[in-house]
Amino acid sequence: MLKELSINQSKIGDVIILNIEGKLDAKTAPELLSVLSAIIGTSNKIVCNLEKLNYIASAGIGIFLKFLQETKSKNGDLVLVNLQKQVKDVFDVLKFTSLFKIYTNTNEAIKYFS
Amino acid sequence: MESKKYKIRIKSELSELNPLREEIEKILSFLDILELNRIVLAIDEVVSNIIEHGYKFDSKNIIEINLTINNEQDLLIEILDNAPYFNPLIQTKINLESYPEEGKHRGLGLILVQYITDEFNCYQRNPIGNQYILKKRLHVNH
């Protein structure tokens, strides 16, 4: 059975890059929560590449919002990259798009932290 | 007036969310991707809310989703459960703008439903349960 969500992690300097693929909903969001909870202890500079994220529900948005708040409280940030249009639309509906830095490629997002 | 009706019944399990979304996508495949995604999301949010808050993740229950499409112009979504009465309109009165400052990150689902739909109401069923009614005017290019 195809996994609904997969998260791959890499690091460039002190920046963590998460490639998040599939669908973020009430069922899969706990997995992202778990990954980010583990990261936040070691890094507060997080790039989330959403190029292959096809769907996001409020559970996913809530997690990004939570860790945006947590990273910023530690003088870091959580930025989003390559949002598919239907994913960006959900952020737009909530008027949360302006809360996040959103990039169209990962390299630009990583440069932001340097 | 041409009216098409669809009935879907699912178990109250989060694993049913993805198959439910896929079935709705097939039914509403005539819509453009953004409108389709918003409607799928609205249904997902209500159903997720029922599973988590109505049924407290008890998978032994059923949720019924009924779609009525009139002339490919108006969509009526009825979602039925047998959970204790819940008024979603209380939650949708939350001030979203204060969310980031107040460190909040939950409770966004039903707010999304209210933003996406033209009408969103919940009625108490007799003797137990909720009837959620979502209405949406569709925009179809022919």
Side-chain angles (χ1 to χ4, degrees), chain B residues 69-132:
Chain B
I69 306 168
N70 293 316
N71 275 342
E72 288 192 349
Q73 282 185 342
D74 295 293
L75 175 63
L76 171 67
I77 303 162
E78 179 191 44
I79 302 174
L80 303 173
D81 68 32
N82 292 317
Y85 178 58
F86 171 77
N87 182 356
L89 299 179
I90 293 172
Q91 193 159 352
T92 56
K93 283 182 168 50
I94 291 168
N95 179 7
L96 208 53
E97 286 176 14
S98 68
Y99 252 60
E101 293 106 51
E102 291 176 12
K104 291 180 183 168
H105 59 95
R106 298 219 57 197
L108 297 168
L110 296 182
I111 295 172
L112 264 173
V113 178
Q114 188 155 56
Y115 282 6
I116 287 169
T117 56
D118 298 320
E119 279 183 49
F120 175 40
N121 283 298
C122 180
Y123 304 99
Q124 204 167 357
R125 296 174 71 197
N126 191 15
I128 190 171
N130 302 281
Q131 177 197 39
Y132 296 85

Side-chain angles (χ1 to χ4, degrees), chain A residues 4 23 25-27 55-58 61-62 65-66 69 85-86 89-90 93-94 96 99, chain B residues 14-15 18 21 33-34 37-38 41 44-45 48 96 99-100 103-105 108-109 112 115:
Chain A
E4 287 175 36
K23 301 176 185 191
D25 63 6
K27 175 172 176 278
Y55 178 83
I56 192 164
S58 64
I61 301 267
L65 188 63
K66 172 181 164 66
Q69 292 156 358
K85 63 178 178 179
Q86 71 278 12
D89 186 54
V90 182
V93 169
L94 287 167
F96 279 179
L99 297 177
Chain B
L14 294 178
S15 60
N18 198 42
R21 291 193 299 260
I33 183 173
L34 288 184
N37 187 73
R38 283 189 181 197
L41 178 62
D44 179 325
E45 295 291 355
S48 296
L96 208 53
Y99 252 60
K104 291 180 183 168
H105 59 95
L108 297 168
L112 264 173
Y115 282 6

Side-chain angles (χ1 to χ4, degrees), chain A residues 63-89:
Chain A
I63 289 171
F64 285 130
L65 188 63
K66 172 181 164 66
F67 286 94
L68 174 73
Q69 292 156 358
E70 288 207 26
T71 52
K72 285 199 158 184
S73 72
K74 296 173 166 76
N75 294 317
D77 207 340
L78 178 147
V79 305
L80 307 176
V81 184
N82 288 325
L83 275 63
Q84 293 191 24
K85 63 178 178 179
Q86 71 278 12
V87 168
K88 183 172 177 296
D89 186 54

Side-chain angles (χ1 to χ4, degrees), chain B residues 20-52:
Chain B
L20 171 63
R21 291 193 299 260
E22 288 178 351
E23 192 161 350
I24 296 165
E25 282 166 7
K26 282 184 199 152
I27 293 168
L28 299 176
S29 60
F30 58 91
L31 295 174
D32 80 36
I33 183 173
L34 288 184
E35 189 162 31
L36 174 60
N37 187 73
R38 283 189 181 197
I39 291 167
V40 166
L41 178 62
I43 295 170
D44 179 325
E45 295 291 355
V46 173
V47 169
S48 296
N49 198 74
I50 292 168
I51 292 170
E52 179 176 357

